Amino acid sequence: MSFPLLSCLSVLILLATIGAPIPYAMIISAIVYLAVKGQDLGLAAEQIIQGLYDSFVILAIPLFIVAANFMNAGSISDRLTAFCLALVGRLRGGLGHVNVVLSLIFAGMSGSAVADIVGTGKMQIAMMIKDNRYPLGYAAAITAATSVIGPIIPPSIPMVLYSIVSDASIGYLFLGGVIPGLMMTAVMMALNSYMAHRLNVPLEEPVPLREIPRITFRAFPALLMPIILLGGIYGGATTPTEAAAIAAAYAFLVAAVFYRALNFATVRAVMHDSVRSSASVGLIIGSALIFNYIVASENIPAQVSELMRGVEVSPLMFLLMLNVLFLVLGCFLDAATIILVILPVFIPTVKALGIDLVHFGIVAVVNCMIGLITPPYGVVLFVLNAITGIPLKTIIESIWPWLIVLIATLLVMIVFPETVLWLPRQFGYQGS
């Protein structure tokens, strides 16, 4: 390891240890690297600006954020909850099933686990614990666990980030996330059904069949958004970035015209929140861009690839080892940092071993999403604690069964690549 890189990593670890935000720590340590190496310090700003402005696909991220925020502001969650209650509420553990299915539907609009939690989490927990139907810890844990479906079902902000660093097709990545997202939904509904019988949860009063058409009509504009988004991409009418712009415009029109839930103050609040969220993501991307410059300067990906060539390891074993590493890192780092900084180091080795980039990307994104609910630093756990006031200890004590079934589902995706690649291949994907 060179002295400039050692200095960079030392400063990064020091700043992270004292609690500095990771993006700031990465930028400062990168500047230290440039200073020790004797390079122009302005190179840090140059790399960030060029990286942000040269990638058209990055524009999709703030547009997806705006779309999700307009959907939240438009009282969409209430209508979708009523629709899910009519759909699966009559089953044993009905409100738990509603929680899972609502996250599945909301995933088609937000692309973010945090957006799912903020949009529906508090309401779902309040419904589940009313009249002591479900224990508080259970309601919090299933709400946290189901939120990870958000970035797997398209659209997906983490998949956009992965596309930036790997050059994999966003369209095929979105397709590749559909079956894994449905698999995650199925195993969580199965676990919820088992736990509901074990906890002897009372059955919910079924929604009368005559009410279902009215409830469906009220939710239909929201349900239509994923169809418009994906239809535009796979019909060849739009790029993913253009589809994100259409989704944002459609979300605004639905909230303003159909649901009549917007006024000037609401629109201002939505845009303000969207700008803040976009800036946070942009800061993470910018810090990753300058850090990736350092990684490239030190030729780390080629060194890792060369090291792996000297080790007799099968593609499957490599994927298993890498996913164990990502699960450990997910306990301490946020998903964006892992995708933007750690993943690029291994992509040359992935290519050399003949591992498909779409398969690898979906597996990596699912892994990183599991990290969002993994103690001690799962971001979703902290967000849920902040918006509901439920103690972290209560959430963490109940999250383990959900982690186990999600990791088991991840293992199936690793061992059987067709769970990811079958749908993209139906749309002409030839592999990479």
Side-chain angles (χ1 to χ4, degrees), residues 11-334:
V11 172
L12 176 63
I13 293 170
L14 174 63
L15 292 174
T17 302
I18 63 176
I22 293 296
Y24 294 136
M26 290 170 64
I27 292 174
I28 293 171
S29 59
I31 292 173
V32 169
Y33 172 86
L34 295 173
V36 173
K37 201 169 183 181
Q39 292 183 296
D40 182 7
L41 299 186
L43 189 61
E46 179 185 335
Q47 288 293 317
I48 293 172
I49 292 171
Q50 284 185 353
L52 289 175
Y53 283 94
D54 284 351
S55 180
F56 179 63
V57 74
I58 290 179
L59 187 58
I61 295 173
L63 291 170
F64 283 136
I65 290 172
V66 169
N69 285 342
F70 272 126
M71 282 297 188
N72 274 339
S75 68
I76 308 295
S77 55
D78 294 338
R79 291 167 171 83
L80 290 178
T81 300
F83 173 75
C84 294
L85 197 56
L87 201 64
V88 295
R90 64 186 68 234
L91 304 176
R92 173 73 69 176
L95 289 180
H97 291 317
V98 168
N99 202 320
V100 180
V101 175
L102 182 60
S103 291
L104 174 67
I105 295 173
F106 205 82
M109 295 180 287
S110 70
S112 165
V114 173
D116 186 311
I117 282 289
V118 172
T120 66
K122 192 171 184 179
M123 175 184 63
Q124 289 298 306
I125 291 173
M127 287 176 60
M128 292 182 71
I129 64 175
K130 186 179 179 181
D131 299 328
N132 295 318
R133 286 185 179 92
Y134 294 80
L136 179 61
Y138 181 83
I142 188 174
T143 303
T146 57
S147 72
V148 305
I149 302 172
I152 309 305
I153 297 289
S156 167
I157 292 174
M159 288 183 197
V160 174
L161 297 178
Y162 173 77
S163 174
I164 293 169
V165 299
S166 68
D167 289 328
S169 163
I170 298 179
Y172 289 131
L173 285 168
F174 281 2
L175 280 174
V178 172
I179 292 178
L182 294 175
M183 289 169 56
M184 294 164 70
T185 301
V187 297
M188 285 193 279
M189 290 186 73
L191 177 59
N192 174 67
S193 182
Y194 167 76
M195 295 296 290
H197 281 87
R198 186 176 173 184
L199 296 170
N200 196 27
V201 174
L203 287 169
E204 303 298 322
E205 185 176 344
V207 175
L209 292 177
R210 65 178 180 276
E211 291 290 316
I212 293 178
R214 181 184 62 83
I215 293 171
T216 303
F217 176 76
R218 284 167 55 84
F220 185 73
L223 297 172
L224 196 59
M225 190 173 113
I227 298 172
I228 293 173
L229 179 72
L230 300 181
I233 296 173
Y234 303 120
T238 65
T239 66
T241 303
E242 292 165 348
I246 293 171
Y250 178 77
F252 172 78
L253 290 174
V254 167
V257 178
F258 192 87
Y259 294 135
R260 299 184 179 181
L262 297 183
N263 54 40
F264 179 79
T266 307
V267 172
R268 184 178 182 275
V270 165
M271 298 309 294
H272 183 263
D273 185 55
S274 299
V275 167
R276 291 186 62 181
S277 299
S278 300
S280 298
V281 176
L283 187 62
I284 294 171
I285 295 173
S287 62
L289 288 169
I290 179 58
F291 223 77
N292 287 340
Y293 167 80
I294 294 173
V295 170
S297 296
E298 295 291 322
N299 207 25
I300 293 174
Q303 292 179 33
V304 171
S305 185
E306 187 63 31
L307 178 65
M308 293 306 299
R309 281 200 184 103
V311 179
E312 290 295 329
V313 60
S314 68
L316 177 59
M317 185 56 64
F318 174 76
L319 270 180
L320 290 171
M321 292 189 299
L322 205 53
N323 275 272
V324 170
L325 172 64
F326 291 160
L327 285 171
V328 173
L329 291 175
C331 296
F332 306 100
L333 298 175
D334 65 272

Side-chain angles (χ1 to χ4, degrees), residues 401-425:
W402 305 97
L403 280 172
I404 290 169
V405 298
L406 288 172
I407 291 173
T409 308
L410 173 65
L411 183 61
V412 171
M413 296 175 205
I414 294 170
V415 176
F416 302 102
E418 284 303 306
T419 55
V420 173
L421 298 176
W422 180 83
L423 190 56
R425 283 178 176 153

